[in-house]
Amino acid sequence: MAGLAGSPWLRIRVLPELQPFSIRRCLLFNPRLSLCRRNISILASAAAGPINGEVRVRFAPSPTGNLHVGGARTALFNYLFARSNGGKFILRIEDTDLERSTKESEEAMLNDLMWLGLDWDEGPGVGGEYGPYRQSERTSLYKQYAENLLNSGHVYRCFCSNEELEKMKERAQQLQLPPVYTGKWATASDREIQEELGKMTPYTYRYRVPKEGILKINDLIRGEVSWSLDTLGDFVILRSNGQPVYNFCVTVDDATMRVSHVIRAEEHLPNTLRQALIYQALGFTMPSFAHVSLILAPDRSKLSKRHGATSVGQFREMGYLPKAMVNYLALLGWGDGTDNEFFTMDQLVEKFSISRVNKSGAVFDSTKLRWMNGQHLRTLPSEELSQILGERWKSMGLLVDSGGMFVKEATELLKDGIDLVTDADAVLSNLLSYPLESTLASAECKPVVEDKLFDLATSLLSAYDSGELLEALKAGPIGWQNWVKNFGKQLKRKGKSLFMPLRLLLTGKLHGPEMGGSIILIYKAGICGVISPQASFKTLDERFKMLREIAWEAYNVEKQSGADSVATLSH
């Protein structure tokens, strides 16, 4: 696979080279000599990097909010790449934003990753040889490498105030130039530096960027990517309060943790220029880079909260399965080259490759995710699915027990109408309810009412009162089928003319799951004692009582004139 044999090539084209040690010497002899600065060439070395070609990847979230689905997909791609290549998946917490980072956010992210099944080999809670794995605990390491760069001449102290920096930006805007640092302190003399230090003037550490040249990398997804160095300007690696900046931390962390491949979102692509320069200055081996496209909303804009749920935690609370989330996220920008859309985690590990990750953005389709979740839900073993739904029904106050035959039979009957676990509430409630009068008053029901529904209701009541219907229901599906067949013969009805009015009178609805299974389950619900009093359940006795009290005149039904029919319904 591309990128496994070593680091990607990187080139910085500049004027004739000087050896790295010449940078410091040149500055000491003539600190204002700008030519020296233009000609620096930073050479790569193997001072750090992966050992024996081992694949080591990392996911490095900032604990400043919830785990976004984009971050979850990045974590998944890293995980799959590591597992498919026998490598290590590292979790690193980038919590240098002290004002926004919270322990609660970190814990939520860790829980979401574990829920998705993305277990890490090194990181918080696991440990590892290259820890600590929180940036807030690595400050001394950053300062050590910053001092190394200062001593080697790759960085310098900058005493510019915020007001001065703002004026530089304004001046650049007036000249229609990139807002780059002008290099005021890049060639300051030792005397000038000591004066500012003596005055306790705050200062930052700035990296010396070559003024000329082009930096190129070979991205495993995007191919060759290049930047002109004259658009960058000297950048800060250490703030005046001693806090290291993001690009410096990331480079030091990835290098010292011996990360071999950096798989991340394309929004980090511009950061690669600064990071590459730092890698080279510190003598670290460059990792291979792979920048994954963004996840887009249906309107092709960047997916955000205004488009609905965007965090893993939200989808978890909505009743999505982790296996469905993993399957769907994997397909956002990747495919195995076939029409297959359903993969287990093991199958994804077996088939995943960076070479099949697309450059273009992937649209997040919540409708398809819901559908996919339903497919995965229905492939769960019966015992597992009934346990999930039973616990849900009990927790929502519909059942008093989460197990037993009723739960198993209800799961089997109702599962086709459930895409999310949370759908189970409405589906069971719908089965237990009996909205006969509102259905009778609907426009859709009018043809059924007009098809001599009163006559069929009369016969159905007779079958119930005689015990004939209850005996059939006790016998289960076979008993129901035999009874319906005979009942239809008596009334000279079959097909829709028989089953539609029967469904209406027994369930109170025109549509629903398989009718025989529904009626049998309603019968069992009335005798098993598992239904909660809060469930608004109507037993068969209660349904037939309501049926007797229907004011048929309100529905303009032409009733039979025979006294027997009227007597039957008023019994």
Side-chain angles (χ1 to χ4, degrees), residues 456 485-495 497-498:
L456 193 144
K485 185 177 180 180
N486 292 329
F487 187 69
K489 283 183 178 180
Q490 293 172 18
L491 300 181
K492 296 181 180 180
R493 287 177 179 250
K494 62 182 179 178
S497 177
L498 172 64

Side-chain angles (χ1 to χ4, degrees), residues 218-233:
N218 183 30
D219 189 279
L220 298 180
I221 295 175
R222 303 181 180 281
E224 182 181 296
V225 183
S226 63
W227 297 268
S228 177
L229 297 180
D230 61 8
T231 64
L232 183 56

Side-chain angles (χ1 to χ4, degrees), residues 178-224:
V180 298
Y181 179 65
T182 59
K184 175 181 177 180
W185 286 93
T187 55
S189 66
D190 285 341
R191 181 181 58 80
E192 291 172 313
I193 293 172
Q194 291 304 318
E195 283 180 3
E196 296 301 322
L197 291 175
K199 292 188 292 185
M200 304 292 289
T201 305
Y203 61 88
T204 60
Y205 279 17
R206 283 190 181 272
Y207 185 92
R208 299 180 189 275
V209 178
K211 286 188 175 179
E212 299 176 5
I214 295 175
L215 185 143
K216 297 181 181 181
I217 67 165
N218 183 30
D219 189 279
L220 298 180
I221 295 175
R222 303 181 180 281
E224 182 181 296

Side-chain angles (χ1 to χ4, degrees), residues 40-202:
I40 64 172
S41 176
I42 307 167
L43 306 178
S45 74
I51 303 173
N52 299 324
E54 179 188 29
V55 168
R56 292 176 58 81
V57 297
R58 51 74 166 176
F59 176 57
S62 297
T64 56
N66 298 319
L67 179 62
H68 189 273
V69 290
R73 185 193 59 171
T74 298
L76 175 62
F77 281 7
N78 276 279
Y79 176 88
L80 295 176
F81 186 76
R83 294 289 177 264
S84 64
N85 289 288
K88 301 291 186 185
F89 175 55
I90 305 162
L91 178 63
R92 184 174 73 231
I93 304 300
E94 298 188 343
D95 57 351
T96 52
D97 188 342
L98 301 179
E99 292 183 359
R100 298 175 59 217
S101 296
T102 66
K103 195 66 179 175
E104 292 75 17
S105 178
E106 178 184 325
E107 290 175 357
M109 284 186 170
L110 299 186
N111 288 333
D112 286 343
L113 290 171
M114 288 188 286
W115 179 72
L116 290 170
L118 306 183
D119 53 300
W120 49 97
D121 303 297
E122 299 175 25
V126 177
E129 187 178 351
Y130 302 99
Y133 293 91
R134 291 183 181 85
Q135 286 187 339
S136 59
E137 300 171 6
R138 298 170 64 84
T139 303
S140 60
L141 186 67
Y142 305 137
K143 290 182 178 179
Q144 172 192 329
Y145 280 104
E147 291 301 321
N148 290 349
L149 291 178
L150 180 67
N151 292 334
S152 68
H154 287 98
V155 304
Y156 59 89
R157 295 183 180 89
C158 172
F159 296 91
C160 287
S161 65
N162 290 334
E163 291 76 11
E164 288 179 288
L165 295 175
E166 194 60 39
K167 287 180 180 179
M168 290 181 194
K169 287 183 181 180
E170 292 174 1
R171 178 62 175 165
Q173 289 176 348
Q174 292 172 359
L175 298 174
Q176 296 185 333
L177 295 173
V180 298
Y181 179 65
T182 59
K184 175 181 177 180
W185 286 93
T187 55
S189 66
D190 285 341
R191 181 181 58 80
E192 291 172 313
I193 293 172
Q194 291 304 318
E195 283 180 3
E196 296 301 322
L197 291 175
K199 292 188 292 185
M200 304 292 289
T201 305

